[in-house]
């Protein structure tokens, strides 16, 4: 067994800062007691375009990148990330780790919630127990196991009571964390919103209404919420004068505007109603020479998930035929035009660096590359095996402009490449699309996944048999064994063997066409010249505003 220190040194993994809940306290490196007198920020708020509604402001329930971005502005956990993506202390003031890597003793900074009560160790205990409690039914309950929290998986499976989770409050300022197994990227995971604190007394007082209105959201971050309701088209934040690091926050606030049509968003930007806007399609060519234009690679993987419980889609040859039948180059070059790249993989590029110092994709095979002739061969085999020569499926798609454009192109490509296949498109708000896929009440779904931490596991873990994100209901015992060993078994302690095993696991997913990859997202954005300091990350939360300025 290798020493923990050696493993930590060899496995370089980072994650993205997430935030949630409500405004009031925080953390980071040195503590600085900010006061209301020296923390005011004058000027208009930063006006930011988002193309989907915020689905949830509950840190243990939120699952999408847009919600995470807003949550990140108003809540802090034990750690966050700096501009370079390196892990830095947030609510953690001092951390002691045991030699075996199984115990963390964290001393918290002095910080307040937005109702004036102190942020305590019990706020973390309550939130983490709630995360893994089956009663919460959190889609991210599995993250407790990913983090290695003692008994997390057994609690999620209903075998052990939530109060047996490996986290205790020694006193108001001291949090003791126990792990089942050393996790090299544990600290980066603590920047993820699922691990953000929730005040138990406040939560109990709110009941089922928790995190649904301004009055039921409690904040400890750089900003606090002043207007919010589910599915709102405008969300307003203002600087939190009681935030522990308020002296460094220069923005007076942030106003998020939900605009699904990119042309309308650009008009708002040109009229001065937006400071930050996202471009798509023809707009990219139109504005890419503008000095306010930026193109940034993101970590999001867009793919089609087939529901293997749908008649016909259980057939591997039919799935392969569908996956190979549409032109991915045309999608990224002619439709999106935003810096996105075609995806012939399940684990994106620029996600994680292995023990050899190379990106996961460097030297790794690609899969399911567009090949219409090969698609026809698989299709002929599928028709013979299924005894049918025509198939009709409905693909559910969120109602954003880019998603609909991509879906319509894929629809036309499949129907042209595979005669006898009909693809219908059903559009809906993203929240409804996610709910349908979680319930399994769909046939095909155009979906996306953003990495929660900088390790291939953030993707590959999705396709284990019992994962709530395994929308297609694929099951493979060998795959499950590899993933489990890579998380908590022998592979977890051998970084080279683990890396090779994760490459094998990706190959298994791709060889059986468990998903049909489409593209890795690039973001083409316009940012006003008087705005600076927005931090962009390819993992977890895409945009962080704590250090942004608007002159």
């Amino acid at each position: 067994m290798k020493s923990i220190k050696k493993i930590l040194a060899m496995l370089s993994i980072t994650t993205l800062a997430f935030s949630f809940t409500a405004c009031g306290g925080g953390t980071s490196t040195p503590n600085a007691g900010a006061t209301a007198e020296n923390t005011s920020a004058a000027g208009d708020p930063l006006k930011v375009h988002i193309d989907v509604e915020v689905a949830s402001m509950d840190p243990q329930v939120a699952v999408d990148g847009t919600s995470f971005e807003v949550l990140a502005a108003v809540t802090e956990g034990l750690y966050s990330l700096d501009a370079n993506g390196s892990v830095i202390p947030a609510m953690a003031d001092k951390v002691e780790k045991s030699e075996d890597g199984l115990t963390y003793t964290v001393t918290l900074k002095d910080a307040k919630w937005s109702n004036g009560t102190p942020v305590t160790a019990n706020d973390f205990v309550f939130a983490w127990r709630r995360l893994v409690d089956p009663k919460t039914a959190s889609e991210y309950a599995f993250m407790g196991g990913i983090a290695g929290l003692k008994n997390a998986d057994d609690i999620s499976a209903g075998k052990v009571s939530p109060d047996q989770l490996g986290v205790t409050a020694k006193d108001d300022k001291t949090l003791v964390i126990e792990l089942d197994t050393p996790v090299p990227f544990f600290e980066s995971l603590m920047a993820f919103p699922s691990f953000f604190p929730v005040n138990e007394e406040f939560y109990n007082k709110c009941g089922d209404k928790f995190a649904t209105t301004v009055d039921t959201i409690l904040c400890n971050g750089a900003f606090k919420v002043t207007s919010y309701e589910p599915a709102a088209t405008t969300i307003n934040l203002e600087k939190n004068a009681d935030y522990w690091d308020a002296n460094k926050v220069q923005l007076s606030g942030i106003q998020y505007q939900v605009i699904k049509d990119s042309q309308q968003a650009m008009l708002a930007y040109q009229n001065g109603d937006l400071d930050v806007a996202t471009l798509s399609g023809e707009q990219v060519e139109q504005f890419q020479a503008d000095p306010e234009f930026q193109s940034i690679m993101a970590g999001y993987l867009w793919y089609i998930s087939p529901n293997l419980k749908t008649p016909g889609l259980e057939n591997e040859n039919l799935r392969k035929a569908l996956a190979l039948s549409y032109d991915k180059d045309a999608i990224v070059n002619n439709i999106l035009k935003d810096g996105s790249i075609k995806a012939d993989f399940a684990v994106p590029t620029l996600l994680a660096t292995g023990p050899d110092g190379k990106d996961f994709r460097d030297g790794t095979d690609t899969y399911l590359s567009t090949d219409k002739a090969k698609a026809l061969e698989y299709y002929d085999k599928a028709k013979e095996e299924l005894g049918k020569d025509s198939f009709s499926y409905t693909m559910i798609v969120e109602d954003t402009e880019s998603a609909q454009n991509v879906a319509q192109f894929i629809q036309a490509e499949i129907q042209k490449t595979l005669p006898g296949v009909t693809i219908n498109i059903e559009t809906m708000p993203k929240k409804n699309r996610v709910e349908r896929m979680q319930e399994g009440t769909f046939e095909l779904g155009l979906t996306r996944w953003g990495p929660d931490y900088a390790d291939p596991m953030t993707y590959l873990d999705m396709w284990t048999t019992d994962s709530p994100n395994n929308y297609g209901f694929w099951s493979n015992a060998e795959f499950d064994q590899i993933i489990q060993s890579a998380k908590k078994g022998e592979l977890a302690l051998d970084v080279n063997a683990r890396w090779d095993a994760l490459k094998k696991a990706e190959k298994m997913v791709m060889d059986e066409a468990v998903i049909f990859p489409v593209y890795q997202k690039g973001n083409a954005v316009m940012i006003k010249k008087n705005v600076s300091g927005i931090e962009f990350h390819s993992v977890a939360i895409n945009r962080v505003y704590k250090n942004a300025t608007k002159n």
Side-chain angles (χ1 to χ4, degrees), residues 98-362:
S98 62
E99 285 230 10
D100 60 7
L102 295 178
T103 304
Y104 289 72
T105 302
V106 182
T107 303
L108 302 179
K109 285 187 171 74
D110 291 326
K112 296 178 182 178
W113 290 108
S114 48
N115 65 356
T117 61
V119 180
T120 69
N122 186 66
D123 296 331
F124 288 91
V125 173
F126 175 72
W128 295 7
R129 287 178 178 175
R130 180 171 173 258
L131 172 67
V132 299
D133 190 338
K135 292 180 181 178
T136 306
S138 172
E139 187 177 341
Y140 271 91
F142 71 93
M143 289 291 281
I146 293 291
L149 294 178
K150 185 178 179 180
N151 294 326
D153 289 333
D154 284 342
I155 294 169
S156 296
K159 299 176 182 178
V160 179
S161 169
D163 62 9
Q164 298 301 303
L165 187 67
V167 56
T168 54
K170 185 176 180 180
D171 53 48
D172 282 351
K173 296 292 294 294
T174 310
L175 185 70
V176 180
I177 304 166
E178 297 175 273
L179 308 185
D180 284 324
T181 187
V183 176
F185 47 94
F186 175 79
E187 289 169 325
S188 68
L189 280 173
M190 294 302 101
F192 188 75
S194 295
F195 297 103
F196 282 22
V198 172
N199 181 278
E200 183 174 9
E201 181 181 359
F202 182 81
Y203 175 86
N204 290 334
K205 200 174 291 184
C206 295
D208 292 342
K209 297 186 182 300
F210 175 70
T212 59
T213 65
V214 172
D215 292 336
T216 59
I217 295 174
L218 206 57
C219 306
N220 76 326
F223 302 91
K224 60 184 179 181
V225 183
T226 57
S227 75
Y228 169 76
E229 60 184 28
T233 56
T234 302
I235 300 167
N236 290 299
L237 314 180
E238 70 177 19
K239 179 177 176 178
N240 180 13
D242 291 325
Y243 174 52
W244 72 271
D245 206 18
N247 280 326
K248 293 183 180 177
V249 180
Q250 301 301 310
L251 292 177
S252 64
I254 303 172
Q255 182 184 83
Y256 291 96
Q257 299 179 32
V258 180
I259 305 175
K260 298 184 179 184
D261 182 84
S262 59
Q263 296 294 338
Q264 183 182 346
M266 236 359 251
L267 285 173
Y269 181 84
Q270 292 172 317
N271 291 337
D273 296 324
L274 286 172
D275 299 306
V276 182
T278 302
L279 306 179
S280 65
E282 301 298 332
Q283 292 178 323
V284 179
E285 288 184 331
Q286 183 180 353
F287 293 100
Q288 62 186 359
D290 192 300
E292 294 182 341
F293 173 88
Q294 292 188 43
S295 181
I296 301 144
M297 179 56 67
Y300 278 92
L301 176 71
W302 278 84
Y303 60 94
I304 297 171
S305 180
N307 186 341
L308 274 62
K309 292 186 176 181
T310 301
L313 294 178
E314 81 283 359
N315 183 277
E316 184 178 311
N317 284 317
L318 182 58
R319 297 199 303 271
K320 287 181 177 179
L322 293 169
L324 299 179
S325 64
Y326 49 89
D327 188 340
K328 299 176 192 177
D329 283 317
I331 290 172
V332 298
N333 295 328
N334 303 334
I335 297 176
L336 297 171
K337 302 180 182 180
D338 56 4
S340 296
I341 61 173
K342 66 177 180 179
D344 296 329
F345 43 72
V347 178
T349 185
L350 302 178
L351 169 69
T353 302
D356 57 0
K358 297 180 180 179
D359 186 87
F360 184 83
R361 291 255 59 87
D362 192 358

Side-chain angles (χ1 to χ4, degrees), residues 487-517:
K487 289 196 291 187
K488 294 189 175 182
E490 292 183 9
L491 289 173
L493 299 175
D494 186 336
V495 292
N496 291 295
R498 179 181 185 273
W499 206 247
D500 291 339
L502 293 182
K503 288 176 182 278
K504 178 182 178 181
E506 182 194 36
K507 185 177 188 302
M508 295 173 70
V509 171
M510 293 286 90
D511 283 350
E512 294 192 29
V514 177
I515 63 168
F516 314 156

Side-chain angles (χ1 to χ4, degrees), residues 56-78:
S56 177
M57 288 293 287
D58 183 330
Q60 278 76 56
V61 173
V63 298
D64 66 287
T66 303
S67 298
F68 290 150
E69 178 176 319
V70 179
L71 294 174
V74 300
T75 310
E76 281 192 338
L78 296 178

